[in-house]
Amino acid sequence: MIDPATASSSIARQLTLTGVSVGFGGLKALTGVSIDVRPGEVVAVIGPNGAGKTTLFNAITGFVPLAAGRITLGEERIDGLYPHDISARGIRRTFQNGGLCGHLTVLENILAGLHSEVRSSIVGTVLGLPNARRAEREAVARARSLLSLLDIGRLEQQQAGTLSGGQQRMVEILRAIATNPPLLLLDEPAVGLAPPVRIQLIEIIRRLAKTQNIGVLLIEHAIELVMGVSDRIVVLNYGEKIADDAPAAIRSNKAVLEAYLGHG
Amino acid sequence: MLAQLLVSGVSQGALYALVALAMTVIYRATTVINFGHGDLVMAGAFVVYLLVVLAGAPFLISALLAVVLLFAFGVAVYKGLIRPIMAGPHLALAMMAVAVGYALRGLARVVWGREVLPFPKVLPQGTFMVGPVILAPSDLIVTGSVIATVAILAIVFYATRLGKTAQAVFQSERGAALVGINVSAFQGTMWGIGAAMAALGGILIAPVTLLYPDLAASTLIRAFAAMTLGGFGSFLGAAVGGMLLGLSELLVGAYISSKLIDITAYLIIIGVLLIRPSGLFGRQAVVRV
Amino acid sequence: MADELLIAEKIEAGYPGKQILFGVDFSVRKGEVVVLLGANGSGKSTVLNAVSGFIKPFGGRMLFNGQNIAGLPSHQIFRHGIAQVSQARDLFPDMSVEDNLTLGASQRGAAKAAESRTAVYRDFPRLGERRGQIVRTMSGGEQQMVAIARALMSGPLLLLLDEPSGGLAPKFVDEIAQIMARLKQGGITILMVEQNIKLAFDTADRFLVLKDGTVAERGDVGQGVSQEEIVRTIYL
Amino acid sequence: MQPSIDVTAPPTTGGPSRRIFWIIPLALLGLPFFLNDYTQYIVNLILVYVLVGVGFNIVLGNLGQLAFANAAFYGIGAYATAILLYHYKVPLLLAIAAGSIAGGLAGALVCLPVLRGIRSFYLAIITLAFGELMRWVYINAETWTLGSMGLHVPRPVLFGWVLATEKQKFYLFLVIVTLIIAATSNLLRSRVGRAFMAIRDNELAAASMGVPTALYMVLAFAWSGFVVGTAGALYAVLVRQVSPEAFNLLELIVHFGIVVVGGLGSLAGSIVGAVALTMAPELLRDLPGYEELMIALMMILVLLFLPGGLATLLERATSLFRQTYYRD
């Protein structure tokens, strides 16, 4: 049994985007974007609405094809792969509108995240054979140790849909890292969270990144979270990368300021 | 032979078209598919039966009363039972529609018992010949009534202010609310119209078939087949789909095997949904989920 | 103050299990343009929807011309003279420009509608040229124009605009800016949400910055407010 | 609020509450001593409908698919068993197993449109059509089914013992129903059942967690068909008369009612729902129409005021079920 609290990530691998372009029928959504995310590093992507942030995520997870450029995870090229193949390579994501299964309990959600790691045959399961039950027990134990990472073991029997927004985010993040993926994509993790919870979330994301050596790429609007959590910030505007720097430097970057002021 | 089949097919198809159109009105207004619609058809016929046979009222007045009554019933069902759960899962909406239909069926059976009733012979009997084709006045009346109803519907929907409002709600519920239309009241009206049209369908169908509480099931499936074939949500599709279904049933019965008449509708549903879910005229429709 | 058209007092609103606005206060005076600024998720659109009745506030009062309209269904609020252009525009896609406009005046009778239409075609000549065109086939910028024009058809006392420049290419943003300027000249009262701060400050008299469902900052445009400072408050 | 649970406590999936599977059936063993032949028949019928509800709920409640082929699964199971018993004199248990398997295969077949992306109301309509199509097959495959007259199933014989009375059938049924419920519960409380529910709640998220959604959909449909097919087989043995009209749309509505009234996605709910919807109509059976009214009224009330079904009340009354069954 693996204890996620101590186990390091399965294989630490760096995500590298080189000159990535994505177009939708003549309209360029992304133009020549290069970003890398190293293991244990937290990188935030910000930019005005329509800057191409979500397209960037979709490109990485294989939901839209590239017009140009390449994406690699470690040594392996992943652009052109199917989404589930990319997910199998260890890129896990959370969803902007919440990706939890609302009617399942917290524990069940985490267990669902461990789906591919529970070794039990259907026949053994139906008959309730000892090895199937042992596999379940081990998965439950592992799910519980994951919950204890963020001290939310007491919530395990609650329906995910009844949790507060912050708790749901925590569960979703835990579920995404249940299988020790090398890379975690967070799509607006702070949406709908009260400010104090965001501060908590900063601490959680950083702790997970550093202790599990997971690379984290996140899209976010809540600026105090972005400033607090990131090692680096990438700024997109009209599909182009206009800045890629430490948080403090981004704040005083003239081009970034201009981008937010808007055209007019 | 073929001419005779076509005439009978059109008469049969007109009825399917009418019921399918009624369901389409409700579907377009609320994106709810009314699984209890067959029972509304049955209820319309049953009310007429009660009034004519038991109360001795004249047929036309009874029919009018039945249509009005079912209109009110449709509005009430929407306001009391559908609206409160509109935001809920589609499963609950389907269940509610089924439950309402089932209640109607139970109600009918309370009065009716378990028997099959012959519907009073309210339409003129006998037949006459036009060239090689045998025509029954009842067929003409049925087809004529359906055409008249469809014509009225078309005029209302395409040439009046109410029609513009209806189209507005069909195209964008939020847009309609933005221009000050009371969408909820409108949807209630559409449920009423759908139920009233179902009642009319029942009144026209019952003299042809017999009257029994389970009339609902076969009507419902045939309306589904008509809608599926024509494309869900399309008025033109529902009308054409109904006609084509009526014709196919007769042609299949005559040229292949009469045993296949009953399953033509099922095969159409299965075939169309597997091969071309949008049917003849449908867009990729959005169902309330 | 007598010239205050809309006064929002301690508005609390949101969705079941998810409160978004926590006691928002503001007012809009007759003839003025007020812009709501803030990051995504700060509650800007929710404010507009709470005014127009698309969501029912669960706390606070919304006084329009002195009458509390909080909690009324949206079609009744519309009849009080509040028209909204939503972010998704919510046009009738398979109808012509003219039909869309006519429906915008559907609560006012045919004579008034014809009158408004003439006025709208005068103000938006491009729509006059394309009155027969089906809305679905128009560009994003033109659709935005139809949406604004449709809202004007009811002769509203207050116009709510949700991101008029949202999703539009730069050349259309300029056009929207011109439309805004013209509306302002016409003396209509506007409450709007806008991400593009330059555009917003070109037209607005006053601004509110929302943060996490409360008003974080407010002020008069043109009183030496630094736009960059606002950007920093909101985004950086 | 749920009580907080000690992290070191044994997992709920293996705990002492599993005993309820054996305690309740054992307690029921004495039931026949209090019943006459007619009431015993009703109890047997309830057992059949328990399986109907449990099976239907897998697709409707756990997988969240609006598939209405349940009456078809039920009929296919009943006919498979009846045909084997009537024409081929197959041993009873074998015939019942064949009914179950036929139901399971039908379930897998009905999943095809789901895999083609047909969902929601469209799925409901295509599966309704399938059910009606099957009824036509029963009527027209006269060589095996004897058409609309129906098949008269011979008196069931178990290992040389004639099951002559309702009480004798009861014990056979109790064993089969208990085993199937236990197996279903095992399945639903495992990663398989979790995958079903993950698909129901959020198909995209399920796929992104590495759940092969297509495979699990087929599995859920097949198991649902298997359970309902077994119910059909037991029905054939119980009533000993299998004819097409027993599997029409009205029958389907009763199945639907059991799941709605009992509670979507709740195994315990299906059981309670089956009891409620089988008993109530029997009490009213001399009054035509009241049975339908009663069922419809129960459904409407549940939909408006108790969306979780009777299972919600059960859960409030006792925390036992929450721990015993995977989902309430």
Side-chain angles (χ1 to χ4, degrees), chain D residues 207-292:
Chain D
S208 84
M209 290 182 282
V211 175
T213 51
L215 177 71
Y216 278 93
M217 285 186 178
V218 174
L219 194 62
F221 269 90
W223 187 262
S224 167
F226 180 85
V227 174
V228 181
T230 311
L234 296 188
Y235 169 82
V237 173
L238 176 67
V239 181
R240 294 181 50 207
Q241 172 69 33
V242 175
S243 39
E245 77 270 19
F247 311 106
N248 60 13
L249 282 183
L250 295 182
E251 177 69 18
L252 177 67
I253 294 174
V254 174
H255 296 188
F256 202 33
I258 289 175
V259 176
V260 179
V261 172
L264 272 171
S266 164
L267 204 151
S270 310
I271 296 170
V272 182
V275 175
L277 262 77
T278 316
M279 269 172 64
E282 279 302 329
L283 298 175
L284 297 168
R285 71 194 223 117
D286 292 332
L287 303 165
Y290 285 92
E291 155 184 354
E292 283 98 331

Side-chain angles (χ1 to χ4, degrees), chain B residues 27 31 33 35 81 85 90-92 94-96 98-99 102-103 105-107 109-110 114 214 217 221 224 232 259-260 262-263 266-267 269-270 273-274 285 287-288, chain D residues 60 64 66 68 113 116 118 120-122 124-126 128-130 132-133 136 140 249-250 253-254 256 260 264 285 288-293 295-296 299-300 303-304:
Chain B
Y27 171 75
T31 59
I33 288 175
F35 283 89
L81 302 178
I85 59 166
H90 50 173
L91 201 66
M95 287 170 179
M96 188 58 94
V98 167
Y102 207 55
R105 197 185 309 230
L107 210 56
R109 237 200 268 276
V110 168
R114 294 204 165 95
D214 301 339
I221 296 257
F224 279 152
F232 262 88
K259 279 185 176 177
L260 295 178
D262 286 336
I263 58 167
Y266 317 146
L267 294 178
I269 291 176
I270 294 172
L273 282 180
L274 283 179
V287 178
R288 180 172 294 277
Chain D
L60 219 51
L66 201 48
F68 282 171
R116 296 252 323 159
I118 296 176
S120 182
F121 291 126
Y122 296 98
I125 290 167
I126 197 171
L128 273 180
F130 173 74
E132 290 299 289
L133 190 61
W136 180 85
N140 286 281
L249 282 183
L250 295 182
I253 294 174
V254 174
F256 202 33
V260 179
L264 272 171
R285 71 194 223 117
Y290 285 92
E291 155 184 354
E292 283 98 331
L293 277 177
I295 290 177
M299 286 174 79
I300 291 173
L303 285 168
L304 286 181

Side-chain angles (χ1 to χ4, degrees), chain D residues 40-59:
Chain D
Q40 182 66 60
Y41 166 80
I42 302 297
V43 169
N44 292 355
L45 197 62
I46 289 175
L47 284 177
V48 170
Y49 276 108
V50 162
L51 286 190
V52 163
V54 166
F56 201 4
N57 215 339
I58 294 168
V59 160

